[in-house]
């Protein structure tokens, strides 16, 4: 008989990104910081570093497109910006799939890909909040009791 791992739920739903306003703002303006932290907490340092590299390269490409558009009077760079986010989005989707497998979380690979594609930032916030609060729940659950030792009667 094989044992089946229990399936856990995320602490917040996908659109519960405003649960922690500070990290929501950080994720909106610089999502590579959040993705790096998620990767680090999962032990996937290389995915976190890759997300930072791709995001920095993305903004370098955006700056180059703006300079080219200003110099040539062409404004077709929005497609390049959209395509430029694909590698970062792919990394977030991949980290969500790996996190779901490692933590036995609900949702299959296809669902994780769709959610990661639909709102990359919400997905990052959800993963970050789950890892932060999950660690706190585990820490609080196994925290040693403080106070006087119980007295036993003989």
């Amino acid at each position: 008989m094989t044992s089946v791992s229990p399936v856990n739920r995320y602490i917040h739903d996908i659109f519960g990104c405003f649960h922690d306003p500070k990290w929501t703002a950080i994720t909106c303006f610089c999502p590579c910081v959040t993705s790096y932290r998620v990767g680090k907490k999962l032990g996937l340092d290389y995915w976190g570093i890759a997300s930072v590299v791709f995001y920095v390269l993305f903004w370098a490409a955006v700056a180059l497109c703006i300079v080219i558009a200003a110099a040539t009077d062409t404004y077709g760079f929005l497609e390049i910006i959209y395509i430029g986010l694909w590698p970062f989005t792919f990394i977030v989707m991949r980290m969500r799939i790996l996190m779901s497998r490692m933590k036995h979380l609900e949702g299959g690979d296809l669902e994780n890909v769709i959610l990661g594609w639909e709102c990359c930032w919400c997905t990052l916030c959800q993963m970050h909040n789950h890892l932060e609060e999950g660690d706190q729940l585990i820490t609080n659950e196994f925290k040693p009791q403080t106070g006087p030792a119980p007295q036993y009667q003989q």
Side-chain angles (χ1 to χ4, degrees):
M1 181 180 246
T2 60
S3 64
V4 178
S5 300
V7 176
N8 301 318
R9 298 181 57 85
Y10 279 95
I11 294 172
H12 300 284
D13 65 355
I14 189 69
F15 298 111
C17 33
F18 290 104
H19 174 74
D20 186 350
K22 178 181 93 172
W23 279 101
T24 300
I26 290 171
T27 304
C28 284
F29 295 107
C30 195
C32 61
V33 172
T34 308
S35 63
Y36 178 77
R37 284 178 55 103
V38 168
K40 191 87 169 151
K41 282 192 163 286
L42 290 173
L44 305 170
D45 294 346
Y46 51 91
W47 284 103
I49 291 168
S51 68
V52 171
V53 169
F54 277 121
Y55 201 70
V56 168
L57 289 175
F58 161 71
W59 281 110
V62 168
L64 181 66
C65 288
I66 291 172
V67 168
I68 291 171
T72 60
D73 290 332
T74 58
Y75 298 101
F77 62 91
L78 288 177
E79 294 82 11
I80 295 171
I81 292 173
Y82 178 71
I83 292 170
L85 274 177
W86 282 33
F88 181 76
T89 304
F90 169 76
I91 287 173
V92 172
M93 288 187 290
R94 184 67 184 146
M95 283 195 326
R96 183 178 170 93
I97 289 169
L98 293 173
M99 180 176 164
S100 292
R101 290 178 183 172
M102 291 167 73
K103 303 283 185 182
H104 304 288
L105 294 168
E106 64 185 346
D109 291 352
L110 180 61
E111 181 180 342
N112 288 323
V113 166
I114 290 169
L115 289 173
W117 180 257
E118 182 180 347
C119 186
C120 181
W121 287 257
C122 291
T123 300
L124 273 175
C125 285
Q126 182 187 35
M127 292 189 308
H128 182 268
N129 290 339
H130 184 84
L131 290 171
E132 287 290 316
E133 292 183 28
D135 287 350
Q136 289 175 3
L137 289 173
I138 291 170
T139 302
N140 290 337
E141 186 175 326
F142 296 108
K143 194 179 278 187
Q145 297 293 328
T146 58
Q151 300 294 323
Y152 297 104
Q153 295 180 355
Q154 295 186 10

